[in-house]
Amino acid sequence: MGDRCAARGAWSALGLGAVALAAGGLAPAAEPETVYSFRTILAPRDAPAVGETRVVAQGWVSGGLFTERSGRLDRAVSSEEGGFILPEGQFLALARSRMLIGCTIDRVKIRAGRPHVCLADLDGDGRFEAWFPFFDEIVLFANTRKAPLAKMKPVAPVGLRPVDEAGLEEVIPEVGFEITPLKGRLEFCRTVKGQSDGYCTHAGPALDSSGQEATIRAFGAAFSYRRLGDRYEVKTIAPLRIQPYGAGS
């Protein structure tokens, strides 16, 4: 009888031990939080060809700021509550995330202000069926955010047509960049509607101010140049190409 009681006590101890192990972290892991972020790419526009010479006062090269993946809506989508309509073909910056999230690369006026409008695919079927506002920056600042699942509002399902790099030529976003002489250096500066907004790296290579021909490299491009008073005569040796922000600088 004593042996049976001892055996039952041993099995009970084993059962309690198993419960303790599960509570201690060996139970199935919880679903990870959905996060998203954007990676900026530079897309030069009207860039000088190799061997082409220009006389410029400011930007040597300019273009748009995009994200590494982009798409267009296959039909219009709207939200009466949000007070917006995104037309068919609306260009979207696609986030890095395990959930499909696409945001307008330019800000949109809605009832709550002027954010980027973001669409989300909650059920993983490749179509958007929810939206949320994003008030931070899309390009240049690659902050990782938690997807605000509890705050997303429904929209009628809408699909996406991917846009490749060549398709970026057709898009002129509000936010762009220029590589321009600034305080004796060839600097990278952000532009808004074609005008610098004061965000510059202040870390570009120094320019030769003597008026003699010199060569300079920046963002994977190369130029020969000489100063002509308040202007520069610039010849392209290696053109600026589409690339991630910060690559080859």
Side-chain angles (χ1 to χ4, degrees):
M1 182 71 174
D3 289 344
R4 288 179 182 176
C5 289
R8 280 197 295 268
W11 282 112
S12 297
L14 284 172
L16 290 172
V19 171
L21 282 173
L26 295 184
E31 188 74 11
E33 289 184 307
T34 298
V35 298
Y36 65 105
S37 63
F38 300 95
R39 186 182 184 188
T40 300
I41 62 170
L42 314 181
R45 182 179 298 277
D46 190 29
V50 172
E52 182 179 346
T53 299
R54 295 183 179 181
V55 176
V56 297
Q58 298 183 27
W60 290 8
V61 181
S62 62
L65 295 179
F66 296 93
T67 54
E68 61 187 344
R69 294 190 306 136
S70 307
R72 290 185 180 278
L73 293 179
D74 64 7
R75 68 165 185 81
V77 63
S78 64
S79 168
E80 184 175 346
E81 179 181 0
F84 67 83
I85 298 175
L86 302 182
E88 178 181 348
Q90 171 71 51
F91 184 83
L92 297 179
L94 303 183
R96 286 186 161 194
S97 176
R98 64 187 181 88
M99 175 185 291
L100 177 62
I101 294 175
C103 302
T104 57
I105 200 162
D106 294 334
R107 294 180 182 273
V108 174
K109 183 173 176 54
I110 67 173
R111 292 201 176 111
R114 197 167 179 268
H116 304 276
V117 170
C118 297
L119 303 176
D121 173 15
L122 299 180
D123 59 11
D125 68 350
R127 295 169 66 79
F128 300 119
E129 57 273 321
W131 79 276
F132 64 96
F134 182 67
F135 286 91
D136 226 333
E137 301 290 341
I138 293 289
V139 291
L140 289 193
F141 305 109
N143 298 320
T144 298
R145 305 289 187 183
K146 294 178 184 178
L149 301 179
K151 296 182 179 180
M152 292 187 185
K153 306 296 184 182
V155 292
V158 57
L160 188 74
R161 300 193 302 266
V163 174
D164 59 18
E165 286 187 352
L168 298 181
E169 290 290 331
E170 303 172 3
V171 183
I172 304 177
E174 288 185 357
V175 181
F177 75 94
E178 62 181 4
I179 296 178
T180 185
L182 183 67
K183 297 182 179 179
R185 294 181 176 276
L186 190 62
E187 295 285 12
F188 173 93
C189 294
R190 184 173 60 182
T191 61
V192 177
K193 296 182 179 179
Q195 300 297 318
S196 175
D197 69 348
Y199 177 86
C200 299
T201 56
H202 301 293
L207 292 166
D208 187 329
S209 61
S210 68
Q212 299 298 310
E213 187 171 359
T215 298
I216 198 166
R217 298 180 181 277
F219 287 89
F223 309 93
S224 65
Y225 71 96
R226 64 190 183 100
R227 186 164 188 166
L228 303 173
D230 62 351
R231 294 176 176 268
Y232 290 87
E233 181 183 77
V234 181
K235 177 193 276 187
T236 300
I237 298 172
L240 186 75
R241 303 188 184 281
I242 290 180
Q243 61 186 276
Y245 172 64
S249 57

